[in-house]
Every structure is written in C-alpha cells, then in structure tokens.
Amino acid sequence: MKSGAVAAIGVGATAAVVVAALVQAAGDNPILNEALSISVPSDYQELIEEAGNTCPDVTPNLLAALLAQESGFDPKARSPVGAQGIAQFMPSTWESHGIDGNGDGERDVWDPEDAIPSSATYLCTIADDVKDVPGNKQHNMLAAYNAGSDAVRKYGGVPPYEETQNYVRSITALADTPASGKGASSTQAATALNAASAMLGTPYSWGGGNANGPSTGTCCSPSGRSGTSVKGFDCSALVLYAYAKAGISLPRTAARQYAASEPVQPGRVRPGDLVFYGNSATGIHHVGIYAGNGWILDAPRPGTEVRYSPMDTMPDLYAVARPRTNHSKET
C-alpha cells in the first residue's frame, strides 16, 4: 500500500529469509476448508471471511489476494519505505483509517485482528472515493489502495504507473483463479522449493536443463540468444527439475506444465505453487515457483541466473496452479 506514489510492494526479504519462511509455511499450517488453505494461518481464516464481506466491492478472495501480495500474511512485515503489518499500512494511512477491529481499546497496525478489518474498511472507503471514475470498479479500488485515490481520479482509472498496473493485475489474477482437484502436498512443495533454491545463481540457458539438473541448451530464443554453450536452466526446466526431486514428473514446457496442474484460489496459494505468465492457457511463456511474500523463484531470461523475482515481475500474470500428484510422466 502507498499513501502516494512511493513503492511499497513486498517485504524485501533476503533469499535465506524467504526460503526459511516458505518451508515453515509449507510444513506448519493445517489444511483448512474450501475458503482458505494452508497458505493462510488458521488464525486469519474467520477474520478474512468476515472482513471480506464488509461491502459489495470487497470479497474474501480479493482480500486474501491483497494480503498475500502485500505481506504473504506476515503480521510483522515491514517494507523498505515504511509500510507496516499484514496489510502494509503506511503510518499516516493507519492513523486516519486504522480501526480497533477486536474491540480491545487499541488500534494496533501489527495486530491482524485490527489490521485485516482495517484493510477491508479502507478498501470500502476508497471504493466509494473512486466510484464515479470510469472503468472496472475493483481495479480502480485496488489502484487507489496502492497509489492513492487522487491518482486514480487524476488519470480517470488505473494510473500509468508500471508498479500499480502490475499490482492490480497480480491481485485480480489471483482473486479470479478457480480451484479444484488434488495437487502436490506441502511436503512435496517444500522439497521442490529446496531443490530449486539450491540452484540459485545457475545461468539461464535457452532449452537447457532437465529432470537431472542443469544442461546445455539449444538455439535460439526469440531474441536470438543461443543456449548451446551455456549450462543451466530455462524457466520450465527449473520447475521440471525441482518437482522431479519431489517425486512428481512434469511436462517440459510451461504451457504443458499449466495443463498438468490444478489452478488455485488466492486464499489457497502457498509456497511451491507455480505462477504462470501469458495471455491464454496455450500462450503461457513463463513460469516460476511461488516462494511466499510476493516473490517467485525463477530462471527469467537469457543473460540472467536463477533468482528470486517479484511476483509482478511480468505484467501478464495468468494463473497460479499446483502440480497434480497423479501426473507421472513427461508429455
């Protein structure tokens, strides 16, 4: 969240902190009901479901997606620019919009029982602020949460800030993703993430990598870069390798990996899920592994290495999905 145009997405965790957090998230949280999953601590389930019905413009799924994007459900999250708590309120915004959600006589930005209801009521307030602005009302509301209502009114919709546009796309993509079926267990997800994190710093290689590890690639990428002399991974090979270590064999390409996975709702997103980018199911061009706190682990492009990237690293986030446990061979 921002009170102006200052970036405040994510919590800026180091790689080591991210890995520690995602392993804990994968192993400690119990499976909940269909509304929320192990990616959301059980203490927050009722809070999100109740607060997500504060007004017609806010839903539990949207609120869960926003909290996942803002802090990864970390009540102690603090951004480099000063945003605080599970909903990443800037101090000035909390001063004017924070509420005593649990009725204990104190408005505490670090207490999810205050911050989650405050986030929902603030969303409802800014939805009303920008209700007369043309365009999608939820998109405008999210843009105002990130960039401020004045910016949304000034530009007549989502402002032309790359960060804000990616923020809106990321949250709405998560909020609109359906869920069904059985996917990889939390233990398999943690195993895959550990395997992928062990490859941090490995070069990107177009067509490189397989279930056994890094390998030289092929020629050539759309930009003309060849992987024939580079030993490493491309994006889908990193995923293929990581989940092979967890006992799940996946297809080679990102689009086929999506077809071999089950889409998940925002409240069900957890570390180890796969984040896909593209304009359609058959047009997926990139995949990364969700690492928590708004970050993915991926092999981005020629000239880079396996690394942690923000979830909004590309503007066309298509879906988040979980590999099926019954997918047993490459296709």
Side-chain angles (χ1 to χ4, degrees):
M1 184 197 307
K2 299 184 296 178
S3 59
V6 181
I9 292 179
V11 297
T14 65
V17 172
V18 170
V19 173
L22 62 89
V23 172
Q24 181 179 7
D28 291 349
N29 296 334
I31 296 176
L32 306 177
N33 62 20
E34 288 301 312
L36 297 172
S37 79
I38 61 172
S39 65
V40 180
S42 58
D43 289 347
Y44 306 153
Q45 178 183 353
E46 291 185 8
L47 283 170
I48 292 172
E49 290 177 345
E50 182 176 351
N53 289 290
T54 301
C55 67
D57 297 293
V58 179
T59 67
N61 278 352
L62 186 74
L63 182 59
L66 182 142
L67 295 173
Q69 174 75 11
E70 290 284 356
S71 70
F73 302 105
D74 179 3
K76 298 180 180 179
R78 186 191 298 268
S79 82
V81 297
Q84 301 173 335
I86 196 169
Q88 290 291 273
F89 275 97
M90 295 296 288
S92 60
T93 307
W94 178 258
E95 182 64 26
S96 56
H97 293 284
I99 65 173
D100 178 13
N102 58 8
D104 66 355
E106 182 180 1
R107 297 184 305 141
D108 184 358
V109 71
W110 304 107
D111 186 347
E113 292 185 359
D114 290 343
I116 291 174
S118 294
S119 179
T121 58
Y122 182 53
L123 280 168
C124 294
T125 297
I126 59 180
D128 187 64
D129 286 346
V130 298
K131 65 182 179 181
D132 295 327
V133 177
N136 184 289
K137 293 186 179 299
Q138 281 192 335
H139 292 184
N140 290 341
M141 175 184 69
L142 291 171
Y145 193 91
N146 178 258
S149 298
D150 289 344
V152 174
R153 287 193 294 267
K154 175 182 177 180
Y155 290 102
V158 179
Y161 310 146
E162 182 178 1
E163 176 217 322
T164 301
Q165 293 179 347
N166 289 344
Y167 179 87
V168 172
R169 290 189 189 102
S170 296
I171 292 176
T172 54
L174 288 175
D176 292 342
T177 302
S180 63
K182 181 181 179 181
S185 69
S186 59
T187 299
Q188 289 172 312
T191 299
L193 269 167
N194 283 335
S197 66
M199 293 294 119
L200 286 167
T202 301
Y204 180 99
S205 175
W206 177 262
N210 53 49
N212 296 319
S215 70
T216 54
T218 60
C219 186
C220 286
S221 74
S223 62
R225 301 289 291 272
S226 173
T228 56
S229 62
V230 181
K231 185 177 181 179
F233 293 102
D234 61 18
C235 65
S236 57
L238 178 66
V239 170
L240 173 68
Y241 167 78
Y243 268 96
K245 292 296 185 182
I248 297 177
S249 296
L250 289 174
R252 181 61 177 80
T253 67
R256 290 187 176 183
Q257 287 174 357
Y258 175 70
S261 303
E262 292 288 342
V264 295
Q265 292 177 332
R268 298 179 64 87
V269 175
R270 72 178 185 211
D273 287 344
L274 304 183
V275 183
F276 294 93
Y277 300 83
N279 295 318
S280 67
T282 57
I284 290 170
H285 61 83
H286 187 64
V287 60
I289 305 174
Y290 184 60
N293 292 345
W295 293 83
I296 63 171
L297 199 162
D298 68 336
R301 66 187 67 86
T304 65
E305 301 174 341
V306 175
R307 68 188 188 189
Y308 288 102
S309 302
M311 195 171 180
D312 61 1
T313 185
M314 296 180 182
D316 55 350
L317 191 155
Y318 180 73
V320 177
R322 189 167 301 157
R324 297 192 191 103
T325 56
N326 63 351
H327 192 84
S328 60
K329 64 179 182 179
E330 293 190 33
T331 57

